[in-house]
Amino acid sequence: MIRPTTPGGPDADGVGTLPCVSLTTDYGLADGFVAACHGVLARLAPTARVIDVTHLVPPADVRRGAAVLAQTVPYLPWGVHVAVVDPGVGTERRGIALATPGGLLVGPDNGLLVPAAEALGGVTDAVELTNPDWLGPVVFRTFHGRDVFAPVAARLALGAPLAEAGPAVDPGTLVRLPEPVVRAEPGGLSAEVLTVDHFGNVQLAAPGALLDGLPSRVLVNGHEAVHGRTFGDAPPGALVVHVDSAGHVAVAVNTARAADTLRATPGDVLTITTPRPGDLAVDAPTQRTKAPERGP
């Protein structure tokens, strides 16, 4: 086995593992962009294990890419996490690599990497990717994923020192995304839609704790919803407000798409409120039926 030389590389029992590189992009699957990045990694670091997080981030949606990355990297092996959602590719924006207690991150300095870095324990070191010996033989302005980020990730995965990739960057100068809207209010909350997933579930930027104390039925932008723990706590076709697997407030529809019901897209602000008398179709507590017990 290869014993990584980067801090944190060995497993908890001290046994080294194969280096790991993850890829998160908005490249899609119809072209050869993802394969080209895989090819660079395979040529430069053939022993690296590559994990594809997703290549279906909506084009240029940096906030969505940042959310997916931050919510995924804590569950990946220690390694180098490459993320490319980069509408400013080829401009003066910096290419960067970040060190954290939980791994390394490589990508554009446009806010994409910082939430993931915080999820991995915070930035301990940062560099700008300027060493020409670490880059591809030719760097095209429109494909830094292949020509800059993949070659750098390959070298880091094999244990090359971060400092050799380029000059140090003050972590305080890193680009950060604007803080999303989150407001705790009497009897409820207002929060920005952070993501909409493949199933149409609407994830809000609010932490799940803001649902504490809300009743079993609530209103989401005026729509009746069950305040439950999982999708099946609401009847088929009904809205349910719950805490999702990332610990955020989320709105779903049992067997359907909440995003369609609410006409919600990332960046919208949804309001969850405690209903007043007369707000609900039936002003009686939601009753859950228990299946009859079956004898032998």
Side-chain angles (χ1 to χ4, degrees), residues 34-50:
V34 174
C37 293
H38 271 268
V40 170
L41 292 168
R43 289 164 68 94
L44 296 177
T47 58
R49 176 172 36 147
V50 180

Side-chain angles (χ1 to χ4, degrees), residues 135-228:
L135 311 181
V138 179
V139 176
F140 288 86
R141 285 189 173 272
T142 58
F143 202 175
H144 283 189
R146 177 194 66 193
D147 300 337
V148 176
F149 303 136
V152 167
R155 287 169 172 81
L156 292 173
L158 294 180
L162 181 68
E164 291 184 5
V169 168
D170 178 356
T173 68
L174 296 172
V175 174
R176 286 168 166 77
L177 296 172
E179 288 295 322
V181 173
V182 178
R183 292 191 297 268
E185 299 171 348
L189 62 102
S190 292
E192 188 172 331
V193 175
L194 193 60
T195 68
V196 174
D197 70 14
H198 170 74
F199 299 100
N201 300 320
V202 177
Q203 182 189 67
L204 304 185
L210 290 186
L211 292 179
D212 293 348
L214 293 187
S216 61
R217 292 189 300 167
V218 295
L219 297 176
V220 182
N221 279 21
H223 296 265
E224 295 184 25
V226 172
H227 173 200

Side-chain angles (χ1 to χ4, degrees), residues 19-32:
C20 175
V21 178
S22 77
L23 293 173
T24 303
T25 77
D26 61 352
Y27 288 161
L29 300 175
D31 303 291

Side-chain angles (χ1 to χ4, degrees), residues 93-96 107-114 169 173-176:
R93 70 99 185 92
R94 298 179 293 194
I96 55 172
D109 182 21
N110 62 2
L112 178 65
L113 304 182
V114 172
V169 168
T173 68
L174 296 172
V175 174
R176 286 168 166 77

